[in-house]
Structures are given as C-alpha cells and as structure tokens.
Amino acid sequence: MSSTVPCAAPAFSDQRRSRSHQWLLLLELCCETKELSQLHSTLVKLSLIRNPHFSARLSLSLSTIDLSYARQLFDQNPDPNAFAYNILIKAYSKTHRPIEALTLFSHMLDEDSPKPNKMTFPFVLKSCSVETGRQVHAALFKYGLETDVYVNNALISMYMKAGSCFRNAMKVFDRMPQRDVVTWNTVIAGLASLGLVKEARDMFDAMPERNVASWNCLIDGYFKQGLIELARELFDRAPVKDVITWNTMVNGYASLDRMEEGRDLFDRMPMGLKDLTSFNLVIDGYSRNEGFEKVLEIFHEMRGLEICPDRFTLVSVLSACSNLSALEQGKWVHLYVKRLNIKLDAVLTTALIDMYAKCGNMERALDVFVHTEKKDISVWNSVISNLGLHGYGKEALEFFFQLLETDVCPDEITFLSILTACRHSGLVEEGRMYFDLMSRKYDITPKAKHYGCMVDILCRAGLLDEAKALIEAHSGEEFSVATWGALLDAASRLGNVEMGEYAAKPLLELDPKDTRCYVALSNLYSRGKEWDESAEVRKQMRRRGMEKLPGCSSIEVNGVVHEFQVGSAFNTLDEIV
DNA sequence: TTAGGGTTAG
C-alpha cells in the first residue's frame, strides 16, 4: 500500500506543515485579546478551529490574557480533551477563584470525561484546601500517579502550606521512589516557613544536589525567623547568587526594619541584575519606615535606569508625596498614570486622592473622586477623612450622606473619618449621633480609636466628665497616648488638676518619655499656683535627661522638599531663596 | 521549588 502514496505527497504535506507552524507561531505571539479574537475568527472561517492543535494553542494563549474568553471557548467545545481541561485548571489555580479549577476537575472524574493526568494534579492541588487535598491525594491512586515526582512535589507543597499537616508532607517525601531538587527545596521552604529552621537546615545539608533556589529558600527561612546572622552567613557562602538571592536579602532586612543593611545590599547589587522587584522592595521598606525622602530618591534612580514602575511602586510613591506634601512629584505620577493608560483601581485612586488632599489641593482631590466610576469604600473614606482633616466637617458629612445613598457600605474607617471630621469642626452633637449609629445600625463595634476620637470631641467641648465616663465604661479598651493626651490637654486648658492627674498616670505608663505629658502637667500645676508640684515635674524631666522637642514641618519648592523646625524659619527661608 | 506587594484612620 505504501508504494501507492503519490510522490508529491511529502512536498504537499511539508507545505501544509509549514503553514500550520505559522498559524501556531502567530497564536503564540499574540498578546492582546483583540488580536487573538481576530485570529479566532479566521480560524473559524477556515474551519481550522476543529483542529485540536489550533484550538488548544488558542486556549493556551487566551488563558493568560483573557480567562473569561478562554472559558467561553472551552464551553463551546463539545468534546474537550484533558489538555483543554488542564489549560483552564492551571489558569484558574493562579486566580483568586481557585474553586473554578476544582469544579472543572470534578467534571473530569465523570465516567465519560477525559481522565485527569499528571499535568492536571499539580494545579488541582495548588487550588485545594487541605481537606479537599486529602481527597485528591486519595484519587491519585486510581489513576496510578502516586509515584510521579511532579505530583508528589505538589502534594508536599499543599501539606506544608496547611502548617499542621507537615508530617503528612514528610510522609509523602519519605515514600517517594524518586526525588528531584524541587522536592528537597519544597521541603526546605515548607519547614523554614513553619519556623522549623533546624530541620530545614538538616535537609539542606543532607540534600544530594543543590541549586540556587535551595540557598534562597533557606536564606528566606532564616529571615522569616529573624535569624539575620545565619541568613547573612548563607548569603556570603552561596556559590551562585541570582536576582532572587539578592532580593530575598533586601526583603529580609527591609521586613525586619533594618533599612541601612537592606539599602547597602541594594546598592551593591550587580548592575543589570536590579529589577522592578528590587526597587519595589526597597521603596516599600522605606515607606513602612517613614523614609519618604528616600522613597522619592530611589524612585528617581529607577526612572534614570528606565525601569518602569508598576502600580505598587506608584502607590508607595504617592503615599510618600502625601507625607512630604510633594505636590509636583505627585502630579508627575498622575500624569504618568494617564500617559501609560494605567487602570486606576481602588487603591491607586485612593492614594491619588489622598496625595492631592494632603498636598493641600482639595479641588483636584475631588476632581479625581468625581471622575471615578466605581467608587470603592476606601475612595469614599479618603475624601471624607481629608475633608474632615481640612476642617470641612459639614462637607464631610454631606459626602457621608451621599455614600449612604449608594450600595457601598460604610466601614469602621468611614466612621473614624466622620468622627475625625466632627472633632475638627467641633460638631459634638453629630459626633455623639454617629458614634451611636455605627454600632446600632451598621453593626460595627467601636474600637479604641473610635472611643479615642469621641473622647477628644468631648474634651474639646470641655465635657471632661462625660469623656471620663466614656473611658471608664470601656475600661477593657487599650486607649492610646493620643486619647489620654487629649484628656490631659483639655484638663490643662481648663485648669482641672484632678482630671490632669487622672490622665497623666496612664499616659506616663504608656510612654514614660513623652515630654508633652510633663510639660502639660507642669503648666497645669503652675496655673493652679501649685508651684512645688510644678517644679517637681520639671525636675523629674531634667533628671531623665529630657528636653521639649521642637515641632517641625516641611514644604516643597521647585520639586525639592525642605524640612524646618520651629525657631529655624530664617535659615530655611535663606536656603529656599 | 525560591523574593515582593499597595490606599483611606494624625
């Protein structure tokens, strides 16, 4: 029969193969829904979509770009094979809806469905809680996959993540007929993340062959347990250091608030190795430690290297701008977002509104708010709190009423913002009303900060006895320095010595070095002409080597942030002019 | 298998 095949067939087939190859290449190269949708139509027109190679490649490309489109395609397929299932299961396992992956997997268990294979299980296990994971583990045996290395690695990972099940993970490890370097690394990472660093180190020492990830896993594990010296020692000894090794170190130091060492390593990272993550780690570290000038400095360096910031970078930078009142740089970020067509999600919008408001430009803040289509509660909170902070108490309340007309639900921050607004505008009656409303109608239990705010509202109105009663009725709360401070300030202002002493006691316990407390108490005694007490307080202050700290502030001029202290205005002005 | 992740509340 073979002799009857026409001679021209190989050439014809080569041609077709080459054309098929081109289609597949094209499908692989597409990175936008629009392009893939056009290719999809063409494949349908040419009836090529029935070819499983093409439809599979199309689904694969779509699954990373537009999952709902990929799902549509899958649902239209009357006879999906295991590959088609695996593509979607893998894609869903990476989303916040892993339940979809499990639903698809359960379809595969039906008699007339394609059988799950060794590519299916790792992604199913990734989507599982440990309870479901146990059932999936049992199902492996039915398909003869209990010895597969990839599947077992996923099992170990699943049990390790459940924490209390790490013994199950070790059982899987012990029973594996073959292990690879990933198996060992998964165990090391799992043990280390559970705080079992000694056991992780034993595995690291015992493993037959290490790769750079093995070193990275253990370094990270040491940092997570605060074992900085051991992490550093391992880093210095590591034969190969990749970008993750360096970033793990930067992150380790930053997460333990050791920014000097983190920055030192960041600066020493080989040129060309620093990536967006390296920058985000160091920016985030500075941001958490209130090193806002440094945030802007690093951001500047990043732009110089033409590394594109992502939304995480931009949010941290906007937050730094808010804290430094750096309006020009904040505006630059806003323009950048517009120019690159970056989607303004809730977090970015909130940060943007806050930046404009904190830089004193409430109009622009409101403009961003008005142009936000879908207003998340954090977006509302940002506007309400900033209106309140700027003394626009009534306007803050108006926005709150508008909010109540939408289907967005106020949260505890909304009420804190409302109470702050009442506090800044002296709205005592309204304060009482909303304080009551939050628990009565919205089922939000007031926290120490809410009580603190309410106490301050009452104190500012001179209602010290009511404030004290509120504190005493909620003695279980841990009131902050600010709350006791508010009571002390008010007592001091009104010359109420008894109340001043009542507030000073817990205040000094909370922060024995709080100079304001000594100053307020001393002034209070002076006003009451209790000179001996007043002198005693000042003496105590000196004995403890304390001085009253000068207040400080900052402004931005021509994109440069200047900080100045009370009493140094002339120096600062010279510097600016 | 290994690094990271944001906003609003003084």
Side-chain angles (χ1 to χ4, degrees):
Chain A
M1 283 297 280
S2 60
S3 61
T4 59
V5 175
C7 298
F12 175 69
S13 145
D14 278 351
Q15 212 177 20
R16 273 182 57 171
R17 208 173 298 139
S18 143
R19 204 170 297 151
S20 297
H21 183 72
Q22 282 173 359
W23 278 113
L24 291 174
L25 197 65
L26 210 53
L27 283 165
E28 199 181 325
L29 290 175
C30 278
C31 53
E32 277 182 26
T33 306
K34 204 175 146 196
E35 295 168 348
L36 279 169
S37 154
Q38 284 168 351
L39 265 175
H40 181 198
S41 315
T42 316
L43 290 174
V44 171
K45 259 185 236 159
L46 299 173
S47 298
L48 287 172
I49 196 70
R50 276 184 247 141
N51 180 325
H53 285 293
F54 293 131
S55 59
R57 185 60 250 189
L58 179 64
S59 312
L60 196 57
S61 298
L62 273 173
S63 69
T64 56
I65 296 167
D66 190 337
L67 186 49
S68 59
Y69 191 166
R71 181 56 192 256
Q72 253 178 20
L73 203 68
F74 177 86
D75 289 338
Q76 285 164 9
N77 185 346
D79 191 21
N81 57 15
F83 186 73
Y85 271 99
N86 290 349
I87 290 169
L88 276 191
I89 289 176
K90 180 180 177 183
Y92 280 125
S93 76
K94 292 178 180 171
T95 66
H96 57 281
R97 286 183 305 164
I99 186 79
E100 302 282 352
L102 295 178
T103 313
L104 282 170
F105 173 67
S106 68
H107 292 166
M108 293 182 93
L109 300 177
D110 292 343
E111 275 298 308
D112 48 354
S113 296
K115 282 192 182 66
N117 57 31
K118 64 178 185 180
M119 297 299 285
T120 319
F121 280 94
F123 298 108
V124 171
L125 287 165
K126 206 175 166 215
S127 314
C128 280
S129 65
V130 73
E131 291 77 21
T132 324
R134 282 211 175 91
Q135 294 172 28
V136 177
H137 189 173
L140 281 175
F141 294 88
K142 186 177 161 192
Y143 300 99
L145 291 167
E146 68 278 10
T147 56
D148 183 82
V149 177
Y150 284 80
V151 174
N152 276 302
N153 289 349
L155 265 180
I156 292 175
S157 187
M158 187 267 299
Y159 282 127
M160 282 293 188
K161 275 183 193 134
S164 59
C165 296
F166 83 94
R167 285 182 207 288
N168 294 52
M170 296 312 293
K171 246 186 235 167
V172 174
F173 176 84
D174 289 337
R175 288 177 190 163
M176 281 172 80
Q178 279 176 329
R179 303 176 187 116
D180 65 6
V181 67
V182 177
T183 319
W184 289 86
N185 290 350
T186 309
V187 170
I188 291 169
L191 291 172
S193 70
L194 294 169
L196 300 165
V197 278
K198 165 82 174 56
E199 288 78 358
R201 180 58 187 252
D202 289 345
M203 294 300 269
F204 179 83
D205 290 334
M207 68 192 292
E209 182 200 340
R210 298 181 192 116
N211 66 7
V212 65
S214 323
W215 293 80
N216 296 346
C217 289
L218 196 56
I219 290 173
D220 188 50
Y222 280 142
F223 270 120
K224 295 256 158 68
Q225 299 310 313
L227 301 166
I228 299 175
E229 303 306 324
L230 287 173
R232 184 59 189 245
E233 196 190 313
L234 214 58
F235 172 77
D236 290 335
R237 273 183 45 211
V240 179
K241 297 174 178 67
D242 67 0
V243 63
I244 297 181
T245 322
W246 286 92
N247 287 350
T248 303
M249 290 301 290
V250 173
N251 176 50
Y253 281 122
S255 64
L256 295 168
D257 296 338
R258 304 264 291 238
M259 279 316 290
E260 258 182 50
E261 287 130 306
R263 174 65 187 270
D264 177 55
L265 276 183
F266 174 80
D267 289 338
R268 283 172 42 202
M269 267 181 93
M271 261 307 158
L273 203 59
K274 273 185 197 171
D275 64 1
L276 175 62
T277 300
S278 326
F279 279 92
N280 281 353
L281 286 171
V282 84
I283 283 178
D284 184 57
Y286 277 130
S287 192
R288 272 187 300 105
N289 288 281
E290 300 187 350
F292 303 116
E293 289 95 348
K294 301 270 191 214
V295 168
L296 297 187
E297 179 190 311
I298 300 283
F299 182 56
H300 193 70
E301 182 187 331
M302 186 175 174
R303 281 166 53 194
L305 289 171
E306 294 185 350
I307 292 180
C308 286
D310 64 2
R311 55 204 325 117
F312 292 102
T313 329
L314 297 174
V315 169
S316 296
V317 170
L318 283 172
S319 162
C321 293
S322 300
N323 281 283
L324 296 168
S325 296
L327 181 62
E328 289 310 314
Q329 300 187 62
K331 275 185 187 167
W332 186 93
V333 172
H334 193 184
L335 273 176
Y336 182 87
V337 167
K338 281 185 179 164
R339 209 172 54 227
L340 267 78
N341 228 351
I342 296 172
K343 189 176 170 282
L344 275 173
D345 66 359
V347 180
L348 198 50
T349 309
T350 305
L352 200 55
I353 292 174
D354 189 59
M355 181 277 295
Y356 278 126
K358 293 272 161 43
C359 292
N361 199 330
M362 204 62 220
E363 275 174 26
R364 278 210 186 211
L366 288 172
D367 189 59
V368 175
F369 176 82
V370 169
H371 289 99
T372 303
E373 260 180 51
K374 201 172 159 280
K375 295 180 179 70
D376 187 273
I377 188 61
S378 66
V379 173
W380 283 96
N381 289 348
S382 176
V383 162
I384 294 172
S385 70
N386 275 298
L387 281 170
L389 290 175
H390 282 85
Y392 299 110
K394 296 273 181 202
E395 289 79 357
L397 289 177
E398 276 168 26
F399 274 83
F400 177 63
F401 300 143
Q402 278 184 38
L403 163 67
L404 297 185
E405 281 170 18
T406 67
D407 51 5
V408 181
C409 216
D411 63 5
E412 57 177 69
I413 297 175
T414 320
F415 281 99
L416 198 52
S417 307
I418 284 294
L419 292 173
T420 305
C422 293
R423 178 169 74 168
H424 280 260
S425 301
L427 305 169
V428 184
E429 197 42 53
E430 288 85 345
R432 282 198 192 107
M433 193 168 84
Y434 296 115
F435 184 74
D436 174 58
L437 190 76
M438 66 184 283
S439 49
R440 197 166 42 78
K441 189 167 175 197
Y442 293 94
D443 205 24
I444 300 170
T445 311
K447 297 212 170 118
K449 283 197 171 182
H450 298 94
Y451 287 114
C453 216
M454 198 58 225
V455 165
D456 196 22
I457 291 174
L458 296 169
C459 285
R460 282 172 192 233
L463 302 164
L464 301 199
D465 290 330
E466 193 179 334
K468 188 180 172 194
L470 186 67
I471 290 179
E472 292 190 339
H474 301 94
S475 52
E477 294 292 334
E478 285 186 12
F479 293 107
S480 67
V481 169
T483 307
W484 293 112
L487 193 56
L488 177 61
D489 282 344
S492 173
R493 209 170 51 242
L494 298 169
N496 187 335
V497 176
E498 196 189 323
M499 196 65 84
E501 286 172 336
Y502 172 77
K505 195 168 170 264
L507 200 49
L508 285 174
E509 274 170 18
L510 280 170
D511 185 5
K513 288 189 175 159
D514 188 351
T515 49
R516 289 170 313 164
C517 181
Y518 290 95
V519 173
L521 209 53
S522 149
N523 289 344
L524 191 55
Y525 286 132
S526 305
R527 275 191 60 180
K529 300 202 170 41
E530 296 180 35
W531 309 116
D532 291 347
E533 283 80 358
S534 172
E536 179 56 32
V537 173
R538 289 196 176 269
K539 215 186 286 169
Q540 264 187 34
M541 221 176 131
R542 270 196 300 277
R543 211 180 299 139
R544 295 185 185 185
M546 288 151 65
E547 274 177 57
K548 186 171 175 271
L549 296 171
C552 82
S553 185
S554 67
I555 54 168
E556 185 195 72
V557 178
N558 297 332
V560 179
V561 177
H562 300 262
E563 193 174 86
F564 56 93
Q565 293 185 340
V566 169
S568 65
F570 289 114
N571 293 342
T572 318
L573 278 176
D574 284 345
E575 198 185 317
I576 295 167
V577 176

